[in-house]
Amino acid sequence: MIKTRFTSLFGVAAPVMQGGMQWIGDAGLAAAVSNAGGLGTITALTFPTPEALAEQVARCRELTDRPFAVNLTTLPSIDPPPYGDYQDVIIDMGVPVVETSGSNPATFVETYHRAGIKVVHKATSVKHALKAEQAGADAVAVIGFEAAGHPGELDVPLFVLLAAAAQKLTIPVLAAGGIADGRGLTAALALGAEGVLMATRFMATTEASIHDRVKQELVARDELQTNLIFRQLRNTARVSKNSVSDEVVSILAAGGEFGDVRALVAGRRGRTVYETGDLEAGIWWAGLSQALIHDVPTCADLISRMVDEAEDTIAHTLAADIA
């Protein structure tokens, strides 16, 4: 196994973390990743109430005795969910790790640390990664422009962002965006990361509780089949290319406002995609790493072969250097 400061600090065997995913990151997937040696993650806001999150945390503990995380993304909103109540569940139930993003980590890192909880904060720029370190985060995941979800407004690809961040940060750095196999893990380690964070790749695993048609679509797609929506609103999001995201792009490019696309991007429609396999039912997330997805393995098989491939690549590279 590849050992890094991340594996040592977070008590995992493999330098692989599953990122938070709305409607997908449940106890079953998180436990499967953790049992496979990585760090699995439950996505808090997938569940309608803090009580429902508590049930997922309890369920995860039934399925694994290894460390796992809960993702809690906190964003400004007209009608925000009860973030404080979700945070209380994470603390009261003694979740070992929290994955955070969306707000200044200085407002919550100390609260988690007092409860003995480690913090992995996601950042899309070197500036914000440094702020997370200064706030006391235990690790930072830097999110390249290739990633699904919200990759920021700077459009910096992972190789440049990771190398720049690793030069300046002293805490462990995870690489995220466009990684799906052992080659990506090897490259990330070479550029200064101490692990990788993947989301899209874990969608196409046996344990992901989404319709098989979605998984097979990820296997079939290439790097050209995503859309960047909300660019004009400075809230860029990378999603799967379909008729719905095409329409959103068209409306906003023509001068439309959020209200003009609100119904198209409603979360319930995206959830329908995952539940029914209707790929045109709404917006659903996918990163450029879909081009590197060629099968639907178990989480154990995926992580094992990633580490094996990375170890082989590192060994061959060193042998070549010596020769």
Side-chain angles (χ1 to χ4, degrees), residues 276-298:
T276 68
D278 180 356
L279 301 173
E280 303 298 323
I283 296 291
W284 56 285
W285 306 100
L288 298 187
S289 63
Q290 64 184 12
L292 308 175
I293 297 174
H294 305 302
D295 62 355
V296 183
T298 65

Side-chain angles (χ1 to χ4, degrees), residues 18-25 29 33 148 198-212 214-216 218-219 240 273-274 284-287 289-290 293 295-297 299 302:
Q18 169 228 326
M21 293 179 281
Q22 186 74 358
W23 313 127
I24 302 170
L29 179 59
V33 173
M198 303 189 304
T200 301
R201 186 58 186 95
F202 280 116
M203 291 172 65
T205 56
T206 302
E207 294 90 348
S209 57
I210 59 178
H211 199 282
D212 188 60
V214 179
K215 300 179 186 182
Q216 295 304 324
L218 288 169
V219 171
S240 179
V273 174
Y274 299 133
W284 56 285
W285 306 100
S289 63
Q290 64 184 12
I293 297 174
D295 62 355
V296 183
C299 291
L302 173 61

Side-chain angles (χ1 to χ4, degrees), residues 13 21 24 32-33 37 75 98 107 114 118 134 143 156 184 250 262 280 293 298-299 310 322:
M21 293 179 281
I24 302 170
V33 173
L75 294 168
V98 63
T107 62
R114 283 199 301 267
K118 296 182 177 66
Q134 292 162 6
I143 314 299
V156 181
S250 178
R262 182 191 301 270
E280 303 298 323
I293 297 174
T298 65
C299 291
I322 293 172

Side-chain angles (χ1 to χ4, degrees), residues 72 82-92 107-108 111-112:
L72 183 58
Y83 291 127
D85 293 341
Y86 281 99
Q87 184 182 74
D88 288 345
V89 168
I90 293 169
I91 293 171
D92 293 345
T107 62
F108 48 70
T111 300
Y112 286 124

Side-chain angles (χ1 to χ4, degrees), residues 26-32 34-35 39-42 52-70 88-98 115-118:
D26 60 12
L29 179 59
S34 291
N35 284 332
L39 185 64
T41 304
I42 298 170
L53 171 61
E55 292 173 2
Q56 287 291 309
V57 172
R59 176 62 177 156
C60 194
R61 283 217 167 91
E62 293 174 355
L63 297 172
T64 186
D65 60 358
R66 299 185 182 185
F68 63 93
V70 169
D88 288 345
V89 168
I90 293 169
I91 293 171
D92 293 345
M93 298 197 70
V95 173
V97 181
V98 63
I117 299 171
K118 296 182 177 66

Side-chain angles (χ1 to χ4, degrees), residues 7 17 25 35 42 47 101 132 152 242 265 280 302 320:
T7 62
M17 182 175 181
N35 284 332
I42 298 170
F47 307 101
S101 63
N242 65 3
V265 302
E280 303 298 323
L302 173 61

